Amino acid sequence: MKKLIGLILNILPFVMVALFNTVGNSSDFDLIRLKKAVAICFLPVLAVTVYQGIKEGLSYLKTALTVVFAFLFAALYLFPDTGILLSRNFMTVFYAGFFSAAFFPPLFKLPPFTYEFAKKTTPSSVWKLESFKKINMIINYIWAFIFAVCIGITLLPIPVDYALLQFLAPFLVIGTGFYLNKKLPVILNQKLDIEKPVFESVRAMLESMPFGLNREAAKGVDAVVQFIVSGNEDFSGYLVIKNQLCSYHEGVHEKPSCTIKTPSDIWLDVSSGKRNGTEAFLEKLFTVEGDGSFLLKMNELFGSKKTGKKKTGVIISEKEKKFAYQEMKSGQIQKILIIDGGHRGKKFSKTTLMATQFGLGAQTEGAEVETVFLKDKKIHACTGCYTCWTKTPGKCIFQDDMEELLVKTRNADLVVYATPLFVFSMTSTLKAYFDRIIPNLKPYLETQAGLTCHPRRYEDKKEQGMVVFSAAGFPEIERNFDSLSLTFKNINSHFNGSRLLGEFYLPCAEILSMPVFKDRLEKVKHACFEAGRQAVREGKIALQRIHEVREVPYDLNEFEKSANFFWKSMEGKASFYESAVPFEEGVVK
């Protein structure tokens, strides 16, 4: 009932406008009829303006309309000729009143008339935001322009036969205004770069967040973020982000994507920038259940539109652009040997994780995959005696595990080399393996593709594929993995029949075990798994998979802060293993 009464009160003043205009035109602006009409119309408009002013606050537009009718009333009764002239141009006077209501108040530091309507659809916490004020000011002056256009239309010398067109034209313009009124706030909110607001309460902040959503960043996001707030405030509420829109609801959602449990003062400090969010999380000042990776998206979804901070993305050097990874025949790869030169173990090695996923993908296509962990093997360092080339061709003086590995390496259709980045190169265990691989070569020299090489001793395989996996804590690929990449490219070019199918270099690897980086972890695993499948099925690896591993979707400044605090807060290696998420899910045997 209240809504119906409110609707009637809002429509009534405009019904009076139409009534007065109709009476004037139908009576050929007869003074007696105009006096009666203005009295009948003025009183309801005045009553509605006063009543709603007391109940809801002053309305600029209704006040302007009341002033217009009051002016007409006075003119018709005190200055009839002037009153008739104004009545003949009633619509011009009407739009002039609205133009004044839109144009002049901001000049006197008063709020724009659009506040009256915007505040009905937004929580009070939003009213204090700088973006709310700027957007309303822009829309306010757009309406002032629209009313000015309407004034111009009513003053055009249009023949009587087209008088209806002159009456309807402003409504078409106003209709355009209402359309812009609906669309512009969303557009302007994405374009304006407003200083980050400071809130007095977490509830006020959550209520305001839907109006600060970066819709471009929200593409494809479908999530429910539950907040359980304690301390000075004690309440539960959740954000629903879907179809590039966001809404806030009080209470507890049945199936949230993630749940953030936080004291109110901590979250206020995080949201205002007084405290780094990642540091607060690592210090366990607040907790996250479910998909913790959503924490990384919060600043992008609700932060400033123009951060001015760089991201690493996928950076490809000019040298790499000129290098073409090689291919083998479809179905040629049936036997794969993974040589893992890492020391950390299966649970926490990012390099092992990638190689393992590659192997699992290859197995789904029917390939036979074997993994050798060099840290578990006894491999004596090469002494450079050349006995394997002279006295006992093809056989080393040391009888250790390398003897078996030489045979396994020869028999593989594809050899996968996995090594974390150690001082811009491979680990000592993998280097020892390569130093001991020369028994598989002959001492003679021959030219292959313009390079002087040692020919293979055994012709078990005319072609053998090679794939490289490596991980490092640095965020850049270039000037960190360059030396390692060049080493493997040289091995590939100097071994007759070798085919380098791809190199997977993972930057920012050390923090990948943190729950908040779950999305990136899953993306890396998927890329390596699919690469393994494609290598067996098609004999090649798409560059897209390599780039998916290399891509770093983090802000570099924030990454450095998080990484530094991560190491600063650790208490030795045991602390790392205690807090890290194990990677071991299915290791290729």
Side-chain angles (χ1 to χ4, degrees):
M1 191 65 180
K2 283 185 178 181
K3 288 185 178 180
L4 179 61
I5 294 173
L7 180 63
I8 293 172
L9 292 177
N10 285 327
I11 293 175
L12 185 60
F14 298 98
V15 172
M16 295 299 103
V17 170
L19 176 62
F20 182 81
N21 193 59
T22 302
V23 170
N25 283 289
S26 62
S27 67
D28 197 22
F29 300 99
D30 178 72
L31 181 61
I32 296 175
R33 290 190 178 183
L34 287 174
K35 285 182 177 181
K36 291 180 180 178
V38 76
I40 292 171
C41 295
F42 174 47
L43 292 176
V45 172
L46 177 62
V48 168
T49 302
V50 172
Y51 175 78
Q52 288 192 328
I54 295 171
K55 296 283 288 185
E56 302 174 7
L58 182 67
S59 168
Y60 288 4
L61 295 185
K62 289 188 178 71
T63 300
L65 191 55
T66 302
V67 171
V68 167
F69 272 114
F71 190 66
L72 272 173
F73 184 89
L76 285 168
Y77 279 91
L78 300 177
F79 309 100
D81 292 339
T82 302
I84 292 173
L85 178 63
L86 291 175
S87 299
R88 288 183 181 277
N89 296 280
F90 176 69
M91 294 308 296
T92 303
V93 177
F94 167 73
Y95 289 121
F98 275 20
F99 171 81
S100 300
F103 186 80
F104 290 108
L107 298 181
F108 295 96
K109 307 297 182 182
L110 294 173
F113 88 92
T114 53
Y115 270 25
E116 173 190 347
F117 305 97
K119 287 184 176 181
K120 291 179 180 179
T121 58
T122 55
S124 58
S125 55
V126 175
W127 303 347
K128 299 177 182 179
L129 299 182
E130 191 64 28
S131 58
F132 180 81
K133 297 174 183 178
K134 283 192 175 183
I135 289 171
N136 270 276
M137 193 64 73
I138 292 171
I139 294 176
N140 174 82
Y141 279 113
I142 288 175
W143 274 106
F145 175 76
I146 288 172
F147 293 141
V149 170
C150 291
I151 292 171
I153 292 173
T154 60
L155 291 174
L156 290 174
I158 296 177
V160 177
D161 293 341
Y162 296 95
L164 181 62
L165 178 62
Q166 190 174 33
F167 179 77
L168 292 177
F171 288 96
L172 294 175
V173 176
I174 290 174
T176 303
F178 279 117
Y179 176 79
L180 293 175
N181 217 50
K182 183 179 180 180
K183 298 293 183 180
L184 272 179
V186 176
I187 296 172
L188 291 173
N189 197 47
Q190 305 307 304
K191 299 297 182 182
L192 293 176
D193 186 32
I194 308 295
E195 186 177 344
K196 195 171 185 178
V198 177
F199 296 95
E200 296 178 357
S201 69
V202 176
R203 179 179 266 112
M205 182 204 69
L206 294 177
E207 289 175 345
S208 303
M209 287 177 74
F211 302 92
L213 179 69
N214 185 333
R215 298 188 70 187
E216 187 65 28
K219 281 184 179 178
V221 177
D222 185 356
V224 176
V225 186
Q226 178 75 58
F227 284 84
I228 308 295
V229 183
S230 58
N232 296 331
E233 298 178 69
D234 188 7
F235 73 97
S236 299
Y238 58 92
L239 296 168
V240 178
I241 305 170
K242 189 175 183 179
N243 299 327
Q244 294 181 275
L245 296 173
C246 179
S247 58
Y248 171 72
H249 309 268
E250 291 280 336
V252 178
H253 194 274
E254 291 183 359
K255 295 181 179 179
S257 306
C258 75
T259 300
I260 299 173
K261 296 182 178 180
T262 177
S264 57
D265 58 335
I266 295 298
W267 198 255
L268 283 175
D269 285 348
V270 169
S271 66
S272 65
K274 292 180 181 179
R275 187 187 294 270
N276 181 278
T278 306
E279 291 182 8
F281 174 72
L282 291 173
E283 287 183 288
K284 299 181 180 179
L285 298 179
F286 67 89
T287 60
V288 179
E289 297 174 1
D291 184 5
S293 64
F294 195 82
L295 277 179
L296 296 174
K297 302 173 186 174
M298 293 288 279
N299 190 56
E300 186 177 358
L301 288 171
F302 300 102
S304 174
K305 313 300 183 301
K306 302 174 184 177
T307 61
K309 300 174 182 177
K310 60 177 180 176
K311 292 184 179 180
T312 58
V314 179
I315 301 173
I316 306 172
S317 66
E318 290 301 319
K319 288 182 180 179
E320 188 177 359
K321 289 178 182 178
K322 295 177 182 178
F323 182 83
Y325 288 109
Q326 294 156 301
E327 300 180 10
M328 298 177 71
K329 294 178 182 178
S330 176
Q332 185 177 355
I333 299 173
Q334 295 298 317
K335 185 177 289 188
I336 298 174
L337 177 66
I338 300 176
I339 302 292
D340 193 318
H343 302 283
R344 183 170 282 177
K346 294 177 285 188
K347 279 191 176 182
F348 299 107
S349 170
K350 291 82 177 176
T351 306
T352 300
L353 169 74
M354 292 190 290
T356 297
Q357 290 299 315
F358 182 90
L360 291 172
Q363 284 181 330
T364 63
E365 296 294 330
E368 177 187 333
V369 182
E370 180 182 1
T371 301
V372 174
F373 293 96
L374 296 182
K375 69 182 183 66
D376 299 328
K377 301 296 180 180
K378 183 179 180 181
I379 301 176
H380 199 285
C382 178
T383 61
C385 67
Y386 294 116
T387 300
C388 62
W389 276 2
T390 56
K391 295 180 180 179
T392 55
K395 187 173 179 62
C396 183
I397 60 172
F398 298 113
Q399 296 182 13
D400 53 18
D401 292 330
M402 194 62 199
E403 189 172 359
E404 181 186 10
L405 288 178
L406 287 173
V407 177
K408 289 180 181 290
T409 301
R410 292 205 318 261
N411 292 335
D413 298 314
L414 173 70
V415 181
V416 175
Y417 294 106
T419 173
L421 192 69
F422 273 34
V423 194
F424 310 108
S425 188
M426 64 183 70
T427 60
S428 58
T429 50
L430 185 58
K431 182 61 169 65
Y433 162 87
F434 276 116
D435 288 344
R436 291 282 305 280
I437 209 169
I438 63 169
N440 279 350
L441 303 174
K442 294 179 181 179
Y444 312 117
L445 300 178
E446 63 179 39
T447 301
Q448 300 171 5
L451 289 173
T452 303
C453 309
H454 295 294
R456 291 179 183 269
R457 182 176 299 279
Y458 307 98
E459 295 298 334
D460 304 30
K461 303 286 182 183
K462 290 185 178 181
E463 287 187 339
Q464 186 178 69
M466 180 168 67
V467 176
V468 183
F469 289 95
S470 184
F474 289 121
E476 302 92 357
I477 297 292
E478 198 170 7
R479 298 179 68 180
N480 287 312
F481 289 94
D482 290 0
S483 178
L484 182 67
S485 178
L486 183 60
T487 297
F488 279 106
K489 284 184 171 71
N490 284 336
I491 291 172
N492 176 66
S493 62
H494 284 74
F495 278 54
N496 185 31
S498 181
R499 300 287 182 267
L500 181 58
L501 273 62
E503 299 168 276
F504 291 79
Y505 297 131
L506 177 67
C508 295
E510 203 58 64
I511 59 174
L512 201 63
S513 57
M514 295 168 60
V516 292
F517 297 101
K518 178 184 175 182
D519 274 4
R520 184 178 175 227
L521 173 62
E522 292 302 320
K523 188 174 183 178
V524 168
K525 289 168 62 177
H526 175 75
C528 296
F529 185 88
E530 290 301 319
R533 291 186 60 196
Q534 187 184 17
V536 176
R537 187 176 61 249
E538 303 175 27
K540 62 181 180 180
I541 296 174
L543 278 174
Q544 174 192 350
R545 302 305 177 195
I546 295 173
H547 292 165
E548 284 172 350
V549 170
R550 295 185 179 193
E551 184 178 9
V552 181
Y554 315 138
D555 179 280
L556 271 184
N557 295 336
E558 290 302 317
F559 165 74
E560 288 175 6
K561 289 179 184 177
S562 300
N564 290 341
F565 186 83
F566 173 70
W567 288 108
K568 182 181 178 182
S569 62
M570 283 178 57
E571 296 177 358
K573 194 173 182 180
S575 174
F576 169 75
Y577 285 135
E578 182 181 343
S579 61
V581 177
F583 292 140
E584 187 178 31
E585 295 178 359
V587 177
V588 182
K589 302 297 183 183

